[in-house]
Every structure is written in structure tokens, then in C-alpha cells.
Amino acid sequence: MRAFISTPKLKLVLIVFALCIASASLLYTSNLVRHLQERERTSVTIWAGAIEQVAGATAQNPYEQDFRAMAENLDPADPNTQRYRAALAWAGRLPQGDHIDFMFSIIHDHPPEVPAAIVDDEGNPIIWQYLGVPDSVDLTLQDSLQIARSIARMDRRFDPILIEFQSDPLTAPLVQRVHYDESVIIRDLRVYPYLQLTFVALFIGIGYLGFSYARRSEQSNLWVGMAREAAHQLGTPISSLMGWLEVMRTSPKADHEVLKEVDEDVLRLSLIANRFNDIGSMPKLEDQALFPVIEATADYIRRRLPRRGAALTVSVSKELEAPINAELFAWVIENLLKNALDAIENKQAHVEITAGSERNRVYIDISDNGKGIDRREWSNIFKPGYSTKTRGWGLGLSLAKRIVVDYHGGSLTLLKSVVGQGSTFRIVLPGS
């Protein structure tokens, strides 16, 4: 029987949802970063081209002497050659036109907002920006090293852009290089999706924890309500049975042996009602020996073993003590023993209870030679509603774990289990 609500599907849905958000965010941000990188490279290329144009335009005119010679060959007295002489003089001076002013505007007024450095053909920095070094100071050795480290870092990301211009056709062209890196905006955009995913994961995690807490609280309230209602319903018939037992004892034909057994069962019912009534309130714990509680419970189970050949042994030191509530702790032992006996399918059933202490902790092991539990089911056995029996409600182990963990501050775990060989459950309690 599987009446419990399994959560793996919910976890899987949340994981898939988070992965979808992560994939979409990373894909969108990666695409956005790629477009911004292309735009920044275009801006840097235009900036470098403007510098190249201005450098070439302001270089010495290689034909200045030729223009001057041509002007001298014209007759200065002839009014028709005056315009030609003015044109040659203008060409010799190579004045800057409007396009040069536009290039200066690009260089000085609208540089790309990225870390960049321009170096000459020997690698000496000429212009730099956004490198942590003011561009209006003379470079110290430390500043030069910082710019060099920045250039090396920038070259690992992007290839430098070359600037070439030639002042003299008879000499080799001058070459400068523009080194640049991505802007702060792009670096922030690279980090943003991971921050976003962190917040999404926190939101999902907090939401899941809140949902789990609310569900556990609802289950706890349901447990308490059902337990106390059961105790209330049992109270009246138990009181009535006690009264009828007293009436039967006064009869001359009463079978006192039978009445003794019935009386023990009625007391047992009263004990069960008290157990249910204790659920929901913090019970009082007392330091006491474990052997009497365990042995009394085991003796009760022995007298009601459903078949011959079954053995139930208790190997617990009489000096071993722990802070427990005797009634509730006995209920835990009873549930574990019944669970062990139900798991045994052969006639040579054997259940053993052992105990010990280590590092101020007390442990109690309940072992059986039953059919065992598959490893895949270990995480489900303590969930309310889980049971391998056809008619089982699946509440025994869940209730036992609740009593040990919530009321005794201990733990109840499946220590080991092998299919076809048996299982061992371990209770761990704080030492006295």
C-alpha cells in the first residue's frame, strides 16, 4: 500500500523549471553580450580610423616643394595665373578640411567607453583610457607596468587594431596599435545571469522549504487531532469494560484466570489510550533503565506471537540508562517489533534486541531475519502511508520516528537491510 504523497516529481518539476530559466537567461545574455561586443569593436575601429586619418592628414606634405616650383613658373604679372598660384599655395600647405574637424570630434569628444591604449611601433603607450592611470600625468615606472599588464590582459581577449600612416613615400609607414577590452557594462552583463539564477534558486528553495514546513505542520496537526480523538473515543468503552470486569469478579462462577487475561488486555487498552493522549504535548522524560521497558514490551509481544518457532531475544544491559518517557518509548519498541515480525515470512523467525552506548549516546538495535527492504525504498519507509502489507496503514514506523525524534531528541534510522536476509533498525538517544 502506498498512501503517502511522493515528492520526487515536485522536485523534478522545480529543477526543470530552474534549468529552463537558467538556459533562457544565459542564451539571452550571451546574445546581448555578443551584439554589444560587435558594437564596441566597431566603435574602436572607427576611433582608430579617425586617428589614422588625422595623423595622415597632418603629416608633412611630400609634394610641397613641387607645388612651390610650379607656382614660381607661372607669370606673377599675368592676372589669369593668380588663381592658379593661390590653388598651388593651398595644396602645398595641405590645409585641414571639414572631414578632419569631424575626425577630431570623434577622437576627443566621442571616444569609445572601453578600456583602451594606443602604443607606438616600439610599444610605448601614447594614449590610454579607463586603465586606472590618469591620462594627464607623466608615467611613472609603476604606471607603465600597470598599463603593460592591462595591455597583456586585453590582448588575451581581442587582437589589437593597427593604425598605419606614411609621412614620406621614401620611408616605411609608421605603425601604431590600439589595444582594447570590453566595457564594464559587458562584464556586468556576464555576471548578471548568475546573480539572477542565484536569486531564482533562493526563491525556489525558500518556497520549497516553506511548502515543506507547512505540509509538515499540517501533518503534525492531523496526527495530534487523530491521536487525541482516538484516546477520547477509547476512554468510554474502557471505563465500561473495567466496570463489567468488577461485576464479573463477584460472580461465583467466574473464571478468574480468564478474567486476569481480560483485565490485562483492558489495562493494555488504557495504556494505548494514554499514549494517544500524550501525542501533541511534550512528555516528561526521566532517566531510567532501558531493560525493564524493553523486556516488558518484548514479553507482551512473545505471548502473542502468531506462530511457533519464532524467537524474540533481548540482550540489553540492566545498567544502561537514558532519559525517556516509558509509555511512549515502549510504544516505539512495540511498533518496531511488530514491523519486524510482519517482515518475516519463514517459520524460523528470529528477532533480536541489542543495545549499547558510545560517546554519551545510547543506541538500541532491533534486527530480524525477514525479507529485507530494497535499497530504493529506504527513503520512503518512514513516510506516513508507506507499507508493504496489503492491509497496512503505513503509520507504525512514521509514528515511531516522530516519538524518537520530536519527543526524545534522538534518531531512528534503518541501519542496514539486505533483501532476503533481514533488516536492522537503530534508535539513538542522548545519554543520561
Side-chain angles (χ1 to χ4, degrees), residues 125-140 143 147:
I126 302 172
I127 301 174
W128 58 89
Q129 63 178 17
Y130 302 114
L131 297 182
V133 178
D135 56 0
S136 59
V137 299
D138 294 332
L139 288 178
T140 63
D143 293 336
I147 292 177

Side-chain angles (χ1 to χ4, degrees), residues 359-374:
R359 290 179 295 183
N360 199 32
R361 307 284 286 180
V362 175
Y363 66 87
I364 302 98
D365 292 344
I366 299 178
S367 305
D368 63 69
N369 61 340
K371 59 184 178 180
I373 302 172
D374 189 276

Side-chain angles (χ1 to χ4, degrees), residues 224-279:
V224 173
M226 290 180 62
R228 293 193 170 180
E229 179 62 22
H232 177 72
Q233 294 294 332
L234 287 172
T236 302
I238 289 173
S239 299
S240 178
L241 285 173
M242 288 181 175
W244 282 110
L245 281 173
E246 292 300 322
V247 172
M248 293 173 67
R249 284 193 183 94
T250 61
S251 174
K253 297 181 180 181
D255 188 339
H256 292 282
E257 291 297 327
V258 174
L259 289 176
K260 180 181 178 181
E261 291 296 325
V262 175
D263 188 50
E264 288 184 359
D265 285 336
V266 171
L267 291 176
R268 187 72 182 178
L269 285 173
S270 179
L271 176 62
I272 293 173
N274 289 334
R275 288 173 177 175
F276 278 114
N277 194 51
D278 287 340
I279 296 296

Side-chain angles (χ1 to χ4, degrees), residues 64-117:
E64 182 179 356
Q65 297 295 332
D66 297 330
F67 285 131
R68 188 176 301 162
M70 292 173 62
E72 291 176 353
N73 290 331
L74 295 175
D75 185 4
D78 187 354
N80 294 327
T81 62
Q82 290 180 359
R83 182 175 180 80
Y84 300 144
R85 289 169 60 85
L88 290 172
W90 179 88
R93 292 193 305 270
L94 194 61
Q96 298 179 2
D98 294 338
H99 69 289
I100 299 300
D101 295 335
F102 175 69
M103 296 300 175
F104 272 117
S105 175
I106 293 176
I107 295 171
H108 296 289
D109 300 334
H110 304 286
E113 296 182 357
V114 297

Side-chain angles (χ1 to χ4, degrees), residues 60-362:
Q60 183 179 0
N61 187 353
Y63 301 103
E64 182 179 356
Q65 297 295 332
D66 297 330
F67 285 131
R68 188 176 301 162
M70 292 173 62
E72 291 176 353
N73 290 331
L74 295 175
D75 185 4
D78 187 354
N80 294 327
T81 62
Q82 290 180 359
R83 182 175 180 80
Y84 300 144
R85 289 169 60 85
L88 290 172
W90 179 88
R93 292 193 305 270
L94 194 61
Q96 298 179 2
D98 294 338
H99 69 289
I100 299 300
D101 295 335
F102 175 69
M103 296 300 175
F104 272 117
S105 175
I106 293 176
I107 295 171
H108 296 289
D109 300 334
H110 304 286
E113 296 182 357
V114 297
I118 301 177
V119 299
D120 58 20
D121 54 355
E122 295 181 356
N124 299 315
I126 302 172
I127 301 174
W128 58 89
Q129 63 178 17
Y130 302 114
L131 297 182
V133 178
D135 56 0
S136 59
V137 299
D138 294 332
L139 288 178
T140 63
L141 178 59
Q142 184 177 359
D143 293 336
S144 299
L145 291 175
Q146 182 172 345
I147 292 177
R149 286 193 295 266
S150 299
I151 289 174
R153 184 184 67 251
M154 291 187 289
D155 287 348
R156 287 194 294 268
R157 287 181 176 271
F158 304 102
D159 295 330
I161 298 174
L162 299 181
I163 299 176
E164 297 184 7
F165 60 91
Q166 192 169 18
S167 59
D168 189 344
L170 301 179
T171 61
L174 298 177
V175 178
Q176 296 178 351
R177 293 187 304 277
V178 180
H179 305 271
Y180 68 99
D181 201 353
E182 58 189 20
S183 63
V184 177
I185 295 177
I186 291 182
R187 288 199 294 268
D188 291 342
L189 282 175
R190 290 185 187 278
V191 177
Y192 172 73
Y194 297 100
L195 293 176
Q196 184 184 34
L197 295 180
T198 301
F199 286 119
V200 170
L202 287 174
F203 175 77
I204 293 177
I206 293 173
Y208 179 78
L209 291 176
F211 172 76
S212 299
Y213 176 78
R215 188 179 62 177
R216 285 195 300 269
S217 298
E218 183 179 353
Q219 289 177 351
S220 177
N221 293 333
L222 182 62
W223 273 107
V224 173
M226 290 180 62
R228 293 193 170 180
E229 179 62 22
H232 177 72
Q233 294 294 332
L234 287 172
T236 302
I238 289 173
S239 299
S240 178
L241 285 173
M242 288 181 175
W244 282 110
L245 281 173
E246 292 300 322
V247 172
M248 293 173 67
R249 284 193 183 94
T250 61
S251 174
K253 297 181 180 181
D255 188 339
H256 292 282
E257 291 297 327
V258 174
L259 289 176
K260 180 181 178 181
E261 291 296 325
V262 175
D263 188 50
E264 288 184 359
D265 285 336
V266 171
L267 291 176
R268 187 72 182 178
L269 285 173
S270 179
L271 176 62
I272 293 173
N274 289 334
R275 288 173 177 175
F276 278 114
N277 194 51
D278 287 340
I279 296 296
S281 59
M282 187 59 65
K284 183 179 180 181
L285 305 182
E286 297 179 354
D287 290 336
Q288 53 187 297
L290 296 177
F291 177 78
V293 179
I294 296 175
E295 178 61 29
T297 306
D299 187 60
Y300 174 79
I301 296 296
R302 286 192 195 101
R303 298 198 306 269
R304 289 158 178 79
L305 287 176
R307 53 186 175 274
R308 297 176 182 177
L312 174 54
T313 60
V314 177
S315 301
V316 179
S317 173
K318 294 182 180 180
E319 287 75 27
L320 191 62
E321 293 185 353
I324 61 171
N325 178 278
E327 289 187 359
L328 292 180
F329 186 73
W331 197 2
V332 173
I333 300 298
E334 182 181 330
N335 280 332
L336 292 175
L337 290 177
K338 288 180 178 179
N339 185 75
L341 291 170
D342 289 339
I344 300 174
E345 298 176 340
N346 56 69
K347 293 183 178 181
Q348 299 301 321
H350 180 69
V351 180
E352 183 180 13
I353 303 177
T354 58
S357 62
E358 58 182 16
R359 290 179 295 183
N360 199 32
R361 307 284 286 180
V362 175

